[in-house]
Amino acid sequence: MSDKTQINFFVSYAHDNIINAQDLLKRLQPRMSTSKHFSFSLWQDRTILIGTDWHTEIQQAIADCQLGLLLVSYDFFNSRYIREDELPKFVGASANKLAIPVGLEIMDWNKVDMKGLEKLQIFRYPKPPTLSPRFYAQCRGIDKDYFADQLFDQIIKRINVLQAA
């Protein structure tokens, strides 16, 4: 029996962003699986079995999670399903789950209806103060691993703050 705390993540991303989403998750999962204090389980819609009610499966996964890893892009906000059936569970008056928003693809926050996410700190590539933070899609090579390292560090910090409360 493990003395690690179980953390269930719901992963929300636009299907048009699947290449960058899967690449980021591929880098993030080894960090999560070797966590000293937490046992992470990432749920994404790719695990829905053929012939099952996909809407019910998604809503159950949201109900079962503690955190939502929201991989933000223009396509993310263009998805009616994300806007109406996923995002309200993580942001806004009816939200009851913790949101971990991540800048997946390049976008200008000032030109988008962020549906409440504008109030939350969105993780992007940490750069020196003289340069703008970059989105995951802008990273190359080792910068992608650094992005995943820094994101994982922020996730751990956020969970620790929640547990202390």
Side-chain angles (χ1 to χ4, degrees), residues 125-133:
Y125 187 79
K127 297 287 288 178
T130 56
L131 300 173
S132 297

Side-chain angles (χ1 to χ4, degrees), residues 17-66:
N17 303 141
I18 194 164
I19 292 172
N20 282 320
Q22 292 305 314
D23 188 57
L24 174 56
L25 293 173
K26 179 182 81 175
R27 294 168 194 278
L28 192 57
Q29 284 177 320
R31 289 151 177 84
M32 291 182 159
S33 68
T34 58
S35 173
K36 192 174 192 175
H37 302 291
F38 303 103
S39 177
F40 291 96
S41 176
L42 269 70
W43 186 95
Q44 51 187 312
D45 61 1
R46 290 176 33 161
T47 63
I48 298 173
L49 296 175
I50 190 168
T52 58
D53 181 334
W54 61 268
H55 175 73
T56 301
E57 293 285 321
I58 291 170
Q59 294 307 306
Q60 187 61 55
I62 293 172
D64 293 343
C65 79
Q66 289 90 20

